[in-house]
Amino acid sequence: MADNSIDYYENLAREDLTCPKNGVSLDISGYAVRLGLIRAKWARFLYNENVIMQEAEQDLETIYKDKFMFFTYDSEYTVDKKDIPMLIKADDEYQKANKIVKQQSEKVKFINEVLSALNSQSFYLNTAMKHILWQSGETV
């Protein structure tokens, strides 16, 4: 599974949220037909990034558990149990894993926003097509 950056998704979103032109005019009907496929593509992105986020969260939990066990039983210093969470959160390994989880969460939020915008596109395209039909004298 590829680990795509937010920039990658941003560039794709620009393309996918822009109605293409057919010559000088917008290709509304062509875009409307492709919109379902575009939404499916973004749903797949969301699925993939959620899987990565779940793995990152699992890694973070494992690090937390391992550090907790270390500070409880293996540390050369006696550590008060109420101080252990603070020590774990200050640990470099934990902080790096937590950063990955946060970045992954932001990717998932971004993809959800793109999906939401694509869903809104359906409404706008429907309205535009009805307007075009109305202008040509067709009934909707």
Side-chain angles (χ1 to χ4, degrees), residues 60 62 81:
L60 184 66
T62 299
K81 284 203 187 244

Side-chain angles (χ1 to χ4, degrees), residues 6 52-53 56-57 60 89 94-110:
I6 200 90
I52 293 170
M53 186 166 74
E57 287 171 339
L60 184 66
K89 290 178 180 173
Y94 180 86
Q95 286 182 356
K96 287 176 188 174
N98 193 36
K99 181 180 178 183
I100 291 169
V101 169
K102 288 180 180 179
Q103 289 171 339
Q104 197 60 35
S105 176
E106 291 303 314
K107 274 195 234 180
V108 168
K109 285 179 191 174
F110 181 83

Side-chain angles (χ1 to χ4, degrees), residues 1-79:
M1 205 176 308
D3 185 21
N4 296 317
S5 71
I6 200 90
D7 293 333
Y8 170 78
Y9 289 127
E10 183 180 8
N11 290 330
L12 280 178
R14 268 196 202 103
E15 292 172 20
D16 290 344
L17 290 169
T18 303
C19 185
K21 290 188 175 187
N22 187 5
V24 189
S25 61
L26 293 175
D27 182 17
I28 294 172
S29 60
Y31 183 61
V33 169
R34 288 192 319 274
L35 195 55
L37 294 173
I38 293 170
R39 277 198 297 243
K41 175 176 79 173
W42 283 92
R44 182 65 179 177
F45 289 153
L46 180 62
Y47 171 79
N48 290 341
E49 294 298 341
N50 270 323
V51 167
I52 293 170
M53 186 166 74
Q54 290 169 356
E55 291 170 356
E57 287 171 339
Q58 186 65 42
D59 290 345
L60 184 66
E61 288 176 21
T62 299
I63 290 169
Y64 190 93
K65 181 187 68 132
D66 291 347
K67 297 292 179 184
F68 191 89
M69 296 302 284
F70 170 78
F71 285 120
T72 302
Y73 301 110
D74 299 330
S75 176
E76 60 187 77
Y77 304 104
T78 303
V79 178

Side-chain angles (χ1 to χ4, degrees), residues 83-95:
D83 294 332
I84 292 175
M86 178 186 61
L87 292 170
I88 293 170
K89 290 178 180 173
D91 182 78
D92 286 341
E93 183 182 12
Y94 180 86
Q95 286 182 356

